[in-house]
Amino acid sequence: MTSTTSTPLPAVDRPQPSATRGERGARRRIRKDLLRSRIAAWSAVVVIGAFGLLPVYWLLVTALSTPESTFQFPPKLIPTDLTLSNFTALAENDQLIKYMINSLVVASITAVLSVVVATYMGYSFSKFRYRGRRSLMHLVLASQMFPQALLLVTLYTVFSSFGMLNTYSALVLSFTTFTMPLCVWMLKGIFDTIPDALLEAAAIDGASRWRTLHSIVAPLAAPGMIAAGLFAFVRGWNDFIFALTLADKEKQTLPPGLVSTYIGEFQTAWPQLMAASLVVSVPVIVAFMFLQRYLVGGMTAGSVKS
Amino acid sequence: MSTAAPPQKAPPPRERSGGRLSNGAFALLLTAPGLALFAAIIFYPLLSALFTGFFKQDLRLPGREFAGLDNFTYWLDGDFLTILEQTLIFTVGATLVPFVIGFALALALNTGLKASGFLRGLFLFPWVIPGVVVSFLWMWIFNANYGVLNGVLMETGIIDESVAWLGRPGTAMLAVIVTKTWASFPWMMVMLLAGLQTVPKELHEAASMDGAGSVRRFFAVTWPQVRGVASIVLLLEFIWNFQHFDTIYVLTGGGPAGTTETFATAVYQTAFKGFDIGRATALGGLWMLLLLLLVAAYLRITERKGDA
């Protein structure tokens, strides 16, 4: 913005042919444009809305349907006999409750482990400058993009040779492969917003570096750490492939558990499966309602802006 | 934040209060637990995977036998190109279609509709629900005998008899792409909307005043402002889809007749159904080579965008 030569302003008495008519025309055009863009916008919202939300409607309808009305063709788009029996059946299924407890345990431990480890790493990346820092950061970022299916094959052999298959530890560790990179980048973004002056002030007051981190920085970053933890929880809760492969019925989590419970070789219990799917989605939806605020910021911090 | 930061940006205490370590050593110490974990659960397994590709090894048995390049030639002389082609079809489809839909929606919500905050939240739904649930739901919608899609299409007379969308080679890939599109267009929308909101409204008004039509305004005003976000969103989604597993595995398992087989499902099935880890990791190695090129491109683009 520092141009050395400033262009002279045009003379004031420059001829302005039919100023009022042109202006009125432009205004009319803008109004027409606005109307047209409103119409275009609403059409897009309606069409994409149908694509985006009708499946959700169908999820709800099926979850509330009786088995008889589900296996009717063509399906009734507006259901007449609704029932909650699919949900009550869930509550009575001990195996599903076990899967859910497994999911809660594994996703929670994953979240805590990821946040603790990522806090130190993110803090280091954010507040110190040292050789190799950028390479380490890139390594963390890139590790998020390695093929999971391949990683799984060798994690399986590693866990197998340590006798760790079908344990919570195997699930937690394997989930950490995709939650940690995310948390490191989110937390680095959060530490970046904490002014360096604060750390310097703490140092002048005689606080050690550990003390500064634990008693000054961490409390300030707490909301961000909770957000990162929720993200990690959700990712662990949603995982399918690792839990499917590394654990059996005893330690399996809900997503693969639903497959083994409901998807049969010949017939799938669709209403129950849809009801269970809704139940699986609830914690995630609740988490995201809390996370709304961090959503864009977190995503951009982790992947886009760096 | 800025990159151009000098080597010692925020030097917390020099040598005071118990700090026997230099700042650099302290910083590295902080990264140690993370690095140890990364090494143990990501880097070591991936390196060992690359190594295993040269051996003949059964998943269920201990021990292995050196096999040279056998596992690689097995793929390169066989299905490699088919799998690559199908992976690319899935990846391109599942990246571009949600991008277009997400962009259209972002533009619509950015015109200042009254309900746009509410609508944004509502549209996030497909993205928020767990991936497996997405797959179950669409499996049910596409169901050959009782699926709602067949129901609606037959009622409206578009088709005469039920189509087994997921069971026919011609439609399975399309169905998988539609499912993945549904799950990811909201993310595209959120990111692009964030980008669009940085475009000053006045620019549009000024361009409009100058008589630029909506198409012209899009390319002259809007696009240059969101190009950065758009390119990164596209590249990230491309990388993710290139290794995507869940949707394809649940919906089709790579079938019918291998027409939706991608690197992810092929590696998985070879290892856990065929128990041939040598072949699985060999294909995985080839796959990772391709992915690394993509990741390198990603790093270059983010690098250029600012600091890291």
Side-chain angles (χ1 to χ4, degrees), chain A residues 124-125 128-137, chain B residues 6-8 22-25 27-29 31 35:
Chain A
S124 168
F125 288 163
F128 295 90
R129 295 294 176 270
Y130 48 92
R131 275 181 58 144
R133 185 185 72 107
R134 288 167 68 93
S135 314
L136 286 180
M137 284 167 63
Chain B
Q8 297 276 338
S22 72
N23 271 321
L28 276 174
L29 183 66
T31 66
L35 285 181

Side-chain angles (χ1 to χ4, degrees), chain A residues 152 155-156 159 165-167 170-171 174 242-248:
Chain A
L152 179 58
L155 275 179
Y156 182 92
F159 288 142
L165 291 176
N166 309 318
T167 61
L171 291 184
S174 64
F242 284 99
L244 173 75
T245 316
L246 299 174
D248 64 5

Side-chain angles (χ1 to χ4, degrees), chain A residues 33 51-52 62 70 73 117 120 124 129 134 143 145-146 148 154 192 209 238 245 284 296 299 303-304 306, chain B residues 1 7 9 21 23 27 30-31 34 38 45-46 128 130 140 145 182 187 190-191 217 243 268 298 303 307:
Chain A
D33 264 2
F51 171 65
T62 309
T70 312
F73 194 83
V117 172
Y120 291 118
S124 168
R129 295 294 176 270
R134 288 167 68 93
S143 69
M145 295 167 183
F146 286 135
Q148 285 198 354
T154 39
D192 284 341
R209 287 176 297 205
N238 286 352
T245 316
V284 180
V296 178
M299 305 279 328
S303 51
V304 176
S306 74
Chain B
M1 36 174 224
K9 195 176 148 208
L21 297 166
N23 271 321
L30 289 176
T31 66
F38 271 105
L46 281 176
V128 164
W140 173 224
N145 300 317
W182 188 74
W187 180 73
V190 170
M191 299 293 281
R217 280 205 310 271
Q243 56 145 308
Y268 188 87
Y298 171 76
E303 190 95 322
D307 61 318

Side-chain angles (χ1 to χ4, degrees), chain A residues 26 29-30 33 37-38 41-42 44-45 48-49 51-53 55-56 58-59 62 70-75 77 113 117 120-121 123-130 133-134 136-158 173 176-177 180-181 184 188 192 196 199-200 203-204 206-210 213 237-238 240-241 244-245 255 258-259 263 267 270 273-274 277 280-281 284-285 288 292 295-296 299-300 302-306, chain B residues 1 3 5-13 16-17 19 21-23 26-31 33-35 37-38 41-46 48-49 59 101 104-105 108 111-113 119-130 132-133 136-141 143 145-148 150-152 154-155 162 178 181-182 185 187 190-191 194 208-209 211 217 232 236 239 243 245-246 249-250 264 267-268 271-272 277 281 284 287-288 291-292 295 298-299 302-303 307-308:
Chain A
R29 202 167 48 230
I30 289 176
D33 264 2
S37 73
R38 279 276 149 84
W42 275 112
V45 167
I48 300 169
F51 171 65
L53 299 177
V56 179
W58 200 238
L59 174 65
T62 309
T70 312
F71 296 112
Q72 211 177 65
F73 194 83
L77 295 183
L113 176 69
V117 172
Y120 291 118
M121 209 172 201
Y123 185 67
S124 168
F125 288 163
S126 172
K127 293 298 179 203
F128 295 90
R129 295 294 176 270
Y130 48 92
R133 185 185 72 107
R134 288 167 68 93
L136 286 180
M137 284 167 63
H138 282 160
L139 210 59
V140 171
L141 188 61
S143 69
Q144 198 189 352
M145 295 167 183
F146 286 135
Q148 285 198 354
L150 177 61
L151 189 56
L152 179 58
V153 173
T154 39
L155 275 179
Y156 182 92
T157 57
V158 171
L173 286 174
T176 314
T177 60
M180 245 209 339
V184 170
K188 177 193 175 287
D192 284 341
D196 293 342
L199 309 188
E200 280 152 26
I204 288 163
S208 74
R209 287 176 297 205
W210 289 112
L213 170 55
W237 179 269
N238 286 352
F240 173 69
I241 174 177
L244 173 75
T245 316
L258 290 183
V259 174
I263 299 195
Q267 186 76 293
W270 289 108
L273 178 58
M274 291 298 116
S277 294
V280 175
S281 307
V284 180
I285 293 166
F288 271 99
Q292 275 275 359
L295 202 59
V296 178
M299 305 279 328
T300 46
S303 51
V304 176
K305 258 191 335 204
S306 74
Chain B
M1 36 174 224
T3 20
Q8 297 276 338
K9 195 176 148 208
R16 291 187 62 159
S17 48
L21 297 166
S22 72
N23 271 321
F26 178 73
L28 276 174
L29 183 66
L30 289 176
T31 66
L35 285 181
L37 255 179
F38 271 105
I41 58 178
I42 302 182
F43 299 118
Y44 167 69
L46 281 176
S48 102
L59 186 68
I101 295 176
L105 196 57
T111 54
L113 299 181
L119 286 171
R120 193 184 72 168
L122 200 63
F123 278 120
L124 273 181
F125 205 87
W127 181 66
V128 164
I129 63 178
V132 182
V133 172
F136 293 154
L137 173 57
W138 283 88
M139 219 169 140
W140 173 224
I141 291 173
N143 187 280
N145 300 317
Y146 307 103
V148 67
N150 279 327
V152 170
M154 274 170 77
E155 290 284 280
S162 284
V178 168
T181 293
W182 188 74
F185 85 86
W187 180 73
V190 170
M191 299 293 281
S208 182
M209 274 291 205
R217 280 205 310 271
I232 285 181
L236 261 182
I239 292 171
Q243 56 145 308
F245 177 80
D246 287 14
Y249 184 77
V250 177
V267 166
Y268 188 87
F272 296 107
I277 329 193
T281 49
W287 176 28
M288 212 160 86
L291 252 171
L292 277 178
V295 173
Y298 171 76
L299 288 178
T302 41
E303 190 95 322
D307 61 318

Side-chain angles (χ1 to χ4, degrees), chain B residues 62-86:
Chain B
R64 52 171 151 189
E65 210 176 287
F66 188 68
L69 293 172
D70 282 5
N71 292 324
F72 294 92
T73 50
Y74 168 81
W75 291 108
L76 293 170
D77 295 342
D79 291 337
F80 181 77
L81 283 181
T82 316
I83 295 171
L84 174 63
E85 188 192 334
Q86 284 167 185

Side-chain angles (χ1 to χ4, degrees), chain A residues 61-67 83-91 262 271-272 275-276:
Chain A
V61 167
T62 309
L64 293 168
S65 294
T66 57
T83 170
L84 285 173
S85 62
N86 300 316
F87 290 93
T88 49
L90 287 183
Y262 291 116
Q272 286 102 308

